[in-house]
Amino acid sequence: MGKPEHFPSETIKPVISKAELVRRVSAVLPAESLLYDEEELKPYECDGLSAYRKLPLAVALPETEDQIRAVLKICHEGRVPVVFRGAGTGLSGGALPYEHGLLLGLSKLKRILEIDPVARMARVQPGVRNAAISEAAAQYGLYYAPDPSSQIACSIGGNVAENSGGVHCLKYGLTVNNIMKVRFVTIDGELLEIGGDGLDAPGYDLLALITGSEGLLGVVTEITVKLLPSPVKAQVVLAAFDDVGKAGQAVADIIAARIIPAGLEMMDKKATGAVEQFIGAGYPLDAEAILLCESDGSEEEVESEIARITEVLKAAGATQIRVSQNEAERLKLWAGRKSAFPAVGRILPDYFCLDGTIPRKQLANVLKRIGEMQDTFNLQCANVFHAGDGNLHPLVMFDANDDDQLHRAEQYGAAILELCVEVGGTITGEHGVGIEKINQMCVQFRTPELNTFHSIKHAFDEHGLLNPGKAVPTLQRCAEFGAMHVHRGEEKFPDLPRF
Amino acid sequence: MSDPLQQFQEKIRSAAANKAPLRIRGSGSKDFYGVKLEGDVLDTRGYSGIVDYEPTELVFTARAGTPLREVEAALAEKGQMLPFEPPHFGPDATFGGCIASGFSGPRRAYHGAVRDFVLGVRSLNAAGEDLQFGGQVMKNVAGYDVSRLLTGSFGTLGLILEVSVKVLPIPDDERTLRLEMNETAAIETMNRCAGQPLPLSATCFTDNSLYIRLSGAASAVSAARKQLGGETIDGKTFWQSVREQTHPFFSNPGTLWRLSMKSTAAPLTLGPTLIEWNGSLRWISGEGDLENRQAVASKAGGYATLFRAQTRPKAIQYLSPAMMALQKKIKQALDPEGLFGPHRLHAEF
């Protein structure tokens, strides 16, 4: 159970009773789509951030857009807060229920409605799994590019809400760069089409505004995504370094050589050590850092790019270089990176996964300071890093059964996020703010920016009914929690790859 | 004399006090666009210069008044470019104007639009407050994406002061092919090519010719050339003329319509046509009315814009009533008194 200060400080109470809410919603949903007994609500008490749990008044699982609109209208009229939930794999507590509110799950809307292979787009419902889109498009030689690590389970609607990234986003972009159109329902049940079948839409860019808005502005009921031609070939290079700074410089050298790799990942010695014990990916154990650098494209592109990458890595002082010779070897090298989180979880029972992004040039400095803080807080930290785009995932290890360790781990995490902001970065690159980093928002933004966010929120949801207390802190909250509090990021799905 | 930033703040505050609207403007290269030009000019050109540029970070930051040509020259010197290939539409176009207009050029369908590369924006709001959204890092999901909201807003939501964008390396090799064919065949070919792993970086159909630009590793460009056939031409001049609308197609007298739609839409038969972006951007020249053009575009999942006209139009785009209402609310949220560029984009606000 999380500390009370991490729950929303705002209190929004419905003007109708739970019984009245159930009565009204029952009238617009099939009986099996509305849950309100405590036992039935239990599975919805948290998302991927399981340290924080709450039971909502009820859970609605509509099957159609019309039902969603009808439910939202009821909530709007009864001033009932609403939290949306996709697959519930989010790591920042964005789908944590609100105790005086309704949880609206999109999991029953899971149809792929249309794939247009010639126009290279797919029209899908929000509950469709991310990976299912690429699976369905594969027969046409196409795929959906953003690949968050939880892609076998996470839903595309959740991806839109969080603006999810993935290993390939340096080259192919985030969710916001890969969707074309959504059907969007506001709290009053109004339906809007945002975006279009072309490459842009008239007026202010609302598609960008709602992408990553963490369920605070409305809900998407249908998404049209862009599909790309599948690369003919992919190869990965593994390079080992005897110094973290050299590995960081090698990343800069690759970019300076005018190469944009499909993936560019770094792991430090603690992370590779954990991985080797866990699955044996074949990483060198004596290296201070390793890089995985992937090239994809046509045969010709990959051949010439891999040659250039290898040359740059050699010149940057790599102590060992290995190029995958076949698909099995490529997948094995990636498997190590993809199992870094569970591997670290085997060293100590608990860890926080932080999600800061920093300017890449700060890497050596930041890793050094994170390393030094291990002594300060008397805890270990392994680092995995989407090196290409500067997104750092330090994994602070601790045992939550020991209150003092938990407390020190919270402080350690807070210090790392503060450091990310200090060097010109951000508190969250891809996991979202949710409830987890709500206090750190007060560090990243000042009052005028927060006021702008609140004005935007008000334009969509004047009564503040959607996902109250998440993503954007009130000014009062920032005043109350001036100091930073970071807390454990316990995972609900230890088997899902997180990277 | 105070620094330019203070001057902007003073100007905004006094305009707010006097309820006298402001028109944010760089060189005026995009003045042709929009419904009305209202308000005292706030000239951004005094606030100029590159703030930060480290090529290995792929991040470039400059002040709004910086001439776009200087931005592109600084990038080219390091072998990099603005991936969205923005049109200048005038010799003194500014970086701020480029972001505020949101106009993207031939490369857009393959790399992305201005909004896809904007990482952070520093701006002044209608109270003259200095705001920073986004930043200089590639991935940032903290807070609503106000940077992208300001992109393409034509100075109607706030004054863009500084912008950070992601930049990309200039491709090693670039070749342009010309293939003779009719419009139907061209649309079909563009879409077929876009579905294959080819190093495309621009397509254009005009005068019964399909132009295809290939960019990337020399070996990949050469393999694609063999696969596609056609005649190799001087691409630089051609794409420059499409990007800047100096190609003879754009000298047709009368109104220029921009129709954005599904790339596979059949030929529109609305008059002289130039097609870009795999078929998803159709330029039509000639008289017509917005309602009719919108109906055509809307059938193909898109929308119409009255891009250039001899006289100021009453409207340049059509929005559904529900969308107009929401857009108006966004405007009110960021600029409650309607200080910035009233009626530039819509007669309604």
Side-chain angles (χ1 to χ4, degrees):
Chain A
M1 201 65 183
K3 296 181 174 182
E5 74 250 32
H6 298 130
F7 288 108
S9 56
E10 300 82 347
T11 307
I12 297 165
K13 288 219 171 125
V15 298
I16 57 171
S17 66
K18 173 172 173 171
E20 179 62 13
L21 175 69
V22 167
R23 194 187 66 76
R24 291 191 197 177
V25 175
S26 294
V28 299
L29 286 188
E32 67 275 15
S33 290
L34 181 64
L35 316 175
Y36 46 86
D37 287 340
E38 192 172 330
E39 206 171 301
E40 295 175 314
L41 300 178
K42 200 84 180 149
Y44 299 91
E45 67 179 354
C46 67
D47 60 8
L49 184 70
S50 59
Y52 309 116
R53 295 164 194 262
K54 279 278 175 195
L55 290 182
L57 293 178
V59 173
L61 301 169
E63 292 164 0
T64 66
E65 185 179 77
D66 284 343
Q67 290 174 1
I68 294 171
R69 296 179 66 183
V71 171
L72 288 177
K73 264 186 203 145
I74 291 166
C75 291
H76 187 236
E77 283 160 15
R79 300 285 183 264
V80 180
V82 181
V83 175
F84 300 112
R85 177 186 168 105
T89 59
L91 290 173
S92 55
L96 176 74
Y98 189 72
E99 60 182 330
H100 307 295
L102 179 81
L103 186 80
L104 196 155
L106 284 303
S107 57
K108 289 191 176 175
L109 288 98
K110 54 183 179 196
R111 280 189 304 140
I112 294 178
L113 300 168
E114 183 192 359
I115 292 186
D116 184 337
V118 185
R120 306 163 313 284
M121 47 213 259
R123 201 157 56 79
V124 302
Q125 291 189 318
V128 171
R129 287 179 306 113
N130 171 295
I133 302 174
S134 291
E135 284 158 18
Q139 59 181 308
Y140 307 108
L142 301 170
Y143 78 115
Y144 175 63
D147 57 345
S149 54
S150 53
Q151 70 178 142
I152 54 166
C154 67
S155 66
I156 185 71
N159 290 176
V160 173
E162 300 292 327
N163 191 16
S164 305
V167 168
H168 292 97
C169 54
L170 176 67
K171 187 168 174 182
Y172 296 106
L174 306 153
T175 303
V176 69
N177 310 113
N178 287 279
I179 59 174
M180 305 179 72
K181 182 171 75 173
V182 297
R183 287 168 75 86
F184 178 78
V185 179
T186 49
I187 181 65
D188 52 4
E190 181 90 56
L191 174 69
L192 286 160
E193 248 186 33
I194 297 179
D197 291 340
L199 294 178
D200 42 38
Y204 301 131
D205 194 340
L206 300 187
L207 193 59
L209 185 64
I210 62 160
T211 306
S213 63
E214 303 195 25
L216 271 77
L217 304 181
V219 66
V220 293
T221 54
E222 190 181 301
I223 303 116
T224 301
V225 304
K226 191 162 79 174
L227 300 173
L228 298 180
S230 308
V232 175
K233 190 176 179 181
Q235 254 184 313
V236 67
V237 184
L238 164 81
F241 291 87
D242 57 12
D243 176 75
V244 170
K246 278 188 199 166
Q249 186 55 46
V251 172
D253 293 347
I254 288 171
I255 305 293
R258 297 159 66 201
I259 299 165
I260 304 297
L264 185 50
E265 297 289 313
M266 187 192 290
M267 297 166 75
D268 72 0
K269 195 173 187 173
K270 273 216 180 65
T272 51
V275 162
E276 277 310 298
Q277 272 181 38
F278 187 56
I279 66 156
Y283 296 159
L285 287 171
D286 54 346
E288 287 300 319
I290 65 156
L291 286 182
L292 290 171
C293 184
E294 180 153 284
S295 170
D296 71 6
S298 66
E299 291 278 351
E300 298 84 8
E301 280 170 311
V302 174
E303 193 186 330
S304 95
E305 202 165 86
I306 288 286
R308 288 165 62 206
I309 289 168
T310 309
E311 204 176 298
V312 172
L313 291 171
K314 265 186 200 151
T319 53
Q320 189 188 332
I321 290 178
R322 215 169 102 198
V323 181
S324 67
Q325 296 305 311
N326 51 53
E327 193 60 8
E329 189 180 3
R330 183 179 81 88
L331 294 176
K332 190 178 172 195
L333 286 172
W334 277 113
R337 171 64 187 84
K338 293 181 181 184
S339 66
F341 288 16
V344 162
R346 303 226 313 183
I347 299 178
L348 272 176
D350 302 280
Y351 64 87
F352 286 148
C353 171
L354 299 161
D355 177 42
T357 304
I358 55 170
R360 252 189 294 95
K361 64 184 169 195
Q362 294 285 352
L363 177 65
N365 169 36
V366 168
L367 287 183
K368 185 165 157 277
R369 286 173 65 184
I370 289 176
E372 287 164 2
M373 284 190 244
Q374 295 187 117
D375 292 338
T376 316
F377 296 102
N378 193 22
L379 288 171
Q380 302 289 303
C381 180
N383 289 285
V384 297
F385 187 48
H386 299 302
D389 41 38
N391 189 195
L392 189 65
H393 293 317
L395 304 165
V396 175
M397 296 176 259
F398 63 100
D399 181 350
N401 292 321
D402 178 341
D403 277 351
D404 186 52
Q405 280 201 32
L406 171 61
H407 179 64
R408 277 184 279 130
E410 287 177 350
Q411 288 184 318
Y412 194 171
I416 292 173
L417 291 184
E418 228 172 56
L419 175 60
C420 290
V421 176
E422 180 196 314
V423 302
T426 175
I427 57 170
T428 177
E430 58 182 6
H431 294 170
V433 173
I435 190 69
E436 189 206 18
K437 302 174 203 75
I438 190 81
N439 292 333
Q440 281 74 42
M441 284 291 284
C442 310
V443 177
Q444 181 145 355
F445 294 101
R446 297 159 302 160
T447 301
E449 286 107 5
L450 292 171
N451 279 334
T452 305
F453 294 150
H454 292 304
S455 302
I456 290 170
K457 167 75 170 170
H458 190 80
F460 283 83
D461 174 20
E462 62 174 315
H463 303 295
L465 298 176
L466 294 175
N467 221 356
K470 311 275 183 66
V472 180
T474 58
L475 297 179
Q476 189 194 345
R477 184 182 190 108
C478 284
E480 283 168 17
F481 302 102
M484 298 231 303
H485 299 274
V486 176
H487 28 77
R488 54 187 302 208
E490 189 176 282
E491 279 188 52
K492 193 186 172 193
F493 301 98
D495 307 337
L496 271 186
R498 305 285 190 185
F499 46 94
Chain B
M1 199 64 182
S2 56
D3 72 37
L5 190 56
Q6 277 175 351
Q7 288 176 31
F8 290 157
Q9 287 176 315
E10 280 158 24
K11 187 149 185 147
I12 288 172
R13 283 172 188 147
S14 99
N18 299 323
K19 298 199 185 302
L22 290 172
R23 172 153 72 100
I24 299 166
R25 185 176 189 264
S27 76
S29 59
K30 281 97 178 165
D31 274 354
F32 67 87
Y33 188 88
V35 179
K36 280 184 182 165
L37 297 177
E38 283 180 14
D40 286 347
V41 170
L42 188 160
D43 191 331
T44 62
R45 286 174 296 181
Y47 196 65
S48 155
I50 294 168
V51 176
D52 196 10
Y53 174 38
E54 277 182 68
T56 62
E57 295 284 327
L58 297 176
V59 177
F60 176 90
T61 306
R63 290 176 171 173
T66 316
L68 192 51
R69 58 167 192 279
E70 281 179 25
V71 170
E72 293 187 320
L75 290 168
E77 200 181 305
K78 302 291 181 186
Q80 296 184 335
M81 62 179 186
L82 295 172
F84 40 90
E85 216 175 356
H88 293 221
F89 294 147
D92 303 316
T94 61
F95 186 50
C98 158
I99 304 300
S101 72
F103 293 157
S104 304
R107 216 177 287 271
R108 190 266 172 261
Y110 312 90
H111 278 67
V114 181
R115 56 89 90 174
D116 291 300
F117 291 91
V118 168
L119 300 175
V121 171
R122 182 178 168 203
S123 62
L124 293 182
N125 65 12
E129 292 172 315
D130 192 343
L131 310 174
Q132 175 70 55
F133 297 101
Q136 292 187 297
V137 291
M138 302 270 173
K139 282 161 94 177
N140 186 353
V141 293
Y144 303 127
D145 200 341
V146 178
S147 308
R148 289 194 166 93
L149 189 61
L150 292 173
T151 305
S153 68
F154 269 90
T156 62
L157 296 179
L159 168 60
I160 294 173
L161 290 174
E162 268 174 41
V163 184
S164 296
V165 291
K166 177 179 172 182
V167 298
L168 286 178
I170 294 171
D172 284 345
D173 194 16
E174 202 151 85
R175 298 295 159 101
T176 297
L177 310 175
R178 190 181 73 88
L179 297 96
E180 236 169 84
M181 62 181 76
N182 65 27
E183 190 177 341
T184 306
I187 293 169
E188 193 270 328
T189 307
M190 285 188 258
N191 279 285
R192 185 164 35 81
C193 289
Q196 297 171 25
L198 290 167
L200 301 178
S201 70
T203 51
C204 176
F205 170 82
T206 179
D207 298 332
N208 280 314
S209 297
L210 172 63
Y211 297 84
I212 299 178
R213 186 173 65 187
L214 303 164
S215 305
S219 55
V221 168
S222 141
R225 263 170 82 192
K226 282 189 197 118
Q227 183 187 330
L228 295 170
E231 161 203 9
T232 305
I233 64 149
D234 168 18
K236 270 216 163 69
T237 313
F238 176 76
W239 295 111
Q240 181 67 10
S241 75
V242 173
R243 174 184 180 179
E244 295 299 339
Q245 301 192 341
T246 54
H247 184 278
F249 167 83
F250 295 100
S251 60
N252 290 338
T255 306
L256 179 67
W257 299 88
R258 178 191 190 275
L259 274 64
S260 167
M261 56 179 60
K262 192 166 184 174
S263 62
T264 48
L268 303 175
T269 64
L270 291 173
T273 303
L274 182 142
I275 304 179
E276 289 188 80
W277 301 0
N278 289 332
S280 63
L281 181 57
R282 319 257 172 127
W283 297 101
I284 312 282
S285 80
E287 297 319 307
D289 65 85
L290 182 60
E291 206 175 327
N292 163 274
R293 295 284 189 259
Q294 172 63 27
V296 171
S298 166
K299 234 181 248 173
Y303 72 102
T305 303
L306 200 170
F307 198 78
R308 284 181 198 263
Q310 305 296 341
T311 53
R312 287 269 156 205
K314 287 195 178 70
I316 59 165
Q317 287 167 347
Y318 170 82
L319 299 180
S320 71
M323 179 54 85
M324 180 59 86
L326 183 56
Q327 295 269 336
K328 206 169 171 177
K329 281 190 194 172
I330 299 290
K331 166 74 173 174
Q332 281 164 352
L334 272 72
D335 178 19
E337 303 295 329
L339 195 63
F340 297 122
H343 317 301
R344 177 73 187 262
L345 297 175
H346 310 284
E348 288 81 353
F349 61 85

